[in-house]
Amino acid sequence: MTDTPYLRIDVECLDRNIAAVAHRADELGLTVRPHAKTHKCAAIARRQLDAGAAGLTVATIGEAEAFADALGPAAPDLFIAYPLWLTDHKSARLRALADRARMRLAIDSVAGARQLADRLGDADVEVVVEVDSGQHRTGVAPDDAGELARQATDLGLQVIGVFTFPGHGYGPGDARREAAGDEAQALTRAAERLQDNGIDPVVRSGGSTPTIGFASSGVLTEIRPGVYPFNDAQQLELGSCTADDIALTAIATVVHRSGTRIVTDAGSKILGADRPAWTSGFGRLRHAPDARVTSLSEHHAVIEFPADSPTDAIPDVGSTVAMVPNHVCTAVNLVDELVVSDSGTAWPVVARGANS
């Protein structure tokens, strides 16, 4: 018996979600390079690779090291999908990784490209140019990608293509469809600019969990969704999944009830604190779609049921409930292990806290 609160995985649902995205990619002729920052778990990475994933995307050198360690000789291609600014220590870590696994790195400036070239020497790494497709975080304008790729090539880097993250697809209404369109347009222009500079963009990488339903097979060569094995309350509200596609929940105990209001023992230190303005609460209850998590403290969540809810539909003190985090990535990073259904076994979160 595991004490609450804890994160539980429905393995059958997890495997269905992994298979569904693999099938979708196969239909479109795309490869899948899932973003492992969501689950940070070697057991789940193995399931994704067994389902045909071409490699893993990670957020940091630390995550790359954790997966290389956990997967050992079977370590796949690893793509650190953010521009890095290398110090001596980070450079040494990357060179060591390149001896253990095939590495792909990102650039979005000449200065960053020069850092890679100067500090990695003859390390065998691939490089892709990040393009801003509308999120306005990192990445160059699509029409500037070719010039950057040429200068990086002149510095001795092996530039193989372009990538983007359509993060502005996390929004209500038509945001998902529009972001996928922006992604396709940005990658098309960027690829053309690489070709103008004599560089073949064999990799055109994009995709997020909200946008893969609108992915363009004529432009993309691979997709990098992260949330899809689990899904979460954000994906539910965006329409990217249904309640039956939720594979990870926080199991919590009701510690207080007052009318249609309950309080559980799972707060922001198990669910995470993310709440975009367009969401209807701080999470959902898996089996009570009309209830809303209205506030969080560190160790408690306040949940309101509709005023007309039948008395017996509201969990009483001592009951356990399955709560769906808004943002599953931050929830997973708060725990050391993921409990597997009701089996009593658990999978380690091997890359927890690997933030540098």
Side-chain angles (χ1 to χ4, degrees):
M1 182 78 177
T2 303
D3 289 335
T4 63
Y6 61 91
L7 296 186
R8 182 178 70 186
I9 296 175
D10 179 335
V11 176
E12 289 185 6
C13 182
L14 176 87
D15 287 341
R16 286 199 309 271
N17 293 341
I18 291 172
V21 168
H23 179 68
R24 168 69 176 163
D26 187 59
E27 285 184 323
L28 295 173
L30 305 176
T31 59
V32 181
R33 187 179 295 273
H35 209 316
K37 75 178 178 67
T38 293
H39 56 71
K40 297 177 176 281
C41 175
I44 297 174
R46 290 189 187 98
R47 287 175 126 79
Q48 292 173 315
L49 294 166
D50 288 345
L56 298 177
T57 304
V58 295
T60 65
I61 299 172
E63 286 186 356
E65 290 168 331
F67 282 107
D69 289 343
L71 297 172
D77 294 3
L78 297 170
F79 173 31
I80 303 176
Y82 302 90
L84 299 172
W85 188 258
L86 296 184
T87 61
D88 289 344
H89 188 234
K90 285 186 174 182
S91 302
R93 293 165 67 195
L94 276 177
R95 286 193 297 270
L97 275 168
D99 289 337
R100 303 166 60 194
R102 187 174 179 182
M103 294 297 301
R104 182 184 297 178
L105 304 177
I107 58 171
D108 74 346
S109 69
V110 174
R114 185 173 293 112
Q115 281 283 94
L116 292 188
D118 289 347
R119 291 179 176 270
L120 295 186
D122 59 357
D124 185 15
V125 298
E126 299 173 338
V127 173
V128 283
V129 175
E130 183 174 13
V131 177
D132 179 8
S133 59
Q135 189 190 23
H136 307 315
R137 184 176 63 185
T138 50
V140 298
D143 287 329
D144 295 334
E147 174 66 16
L148 173 56
R150 184 188 60 76
Q151 293 194 53
T153 300
D154 291 345
L155 288 166
L157 297 176
Q158 181 186 355
V159 179
I160 61 168
V162 292
F163 80 104
T164 192
F165 174 58
H168 54 309
Y170 278 78
D174 290 329
R176 294 163 58 216
R177 184 187 300 273
E178 291 172 356
D182 292 343
E183 170 187 71
Q185 185 179 52
L187 289 177
T188 296
R189 292 208 314 272
E192 290 172 349
R193 299 295 82 79
L194 261 66
Q195 290 169 335
D196 292 343
N197 283 270
I199 299 167
D200 185 9
V202 294
V203 171
R204 300 180 299 280
S205 178
S208 63
T209 297
T211 60
I212 54 175
F214 307 100
S216 171
S217 59
V219 178
L220 292 164
T221 62
E222 75 173 20
I223 51 175
R224 308 184 321 276
V227 175
Y228 76 95
F230 298 144
N231 291 305
D232 56 22
Q234 288 186 143
Q235 302 304 321
L236 188 62
E237 294 210 33
L238 290 173
S240 303
C241 73
T242 69
D244 290 337
D245 302 320
I246 301 292
L248 181 144
T249 51
I251 305 303
T253 299
V254 178
V255 296
H256 175 84
R257 177 180 171 184
S258 178
T260 58
R261 174 178 168 273
I262 65 172
V263 180
T264 72
D265 61 358
S268 63
K269 286 187 174 179
I270 193 78
L271 294 169
D274 283 9
R275 186 188 175 180
W278 48 266
T279 58
S280 60
F282 288 92
R284 293 289 190 97
L285 288 193
R286 176 70 174 79
H287 301 294
D290 293 330
R292 292 294 181 272
V293 182
T294 56
S295 66
L296 292 180
S297 51
E298 290 180 74
H299 297 287
H300 297 90
V302 176
I303 303 165
E304 300 279 358
F305 285 74
D308 59 355
S309 298
T311 299
D312 60 2
I314 301 173
D316 212 340
V317 172
S319 303
T320 57
V321 294
M323 303 182 68
V324 183
N326 263 346
H327 186 185
V328 70
C329 305
T330 56
V332 169
N333 196 48
L334 293 168
V335 299
D336 293 323
E337 61 185 21
L338 304 172
V339 175
V340 182
S341 299
D342 292 315
S343 67
T345 62
W347 292 338
V349 181
V350 298
R352 182 189 178 192
N355 296 321
S356 62

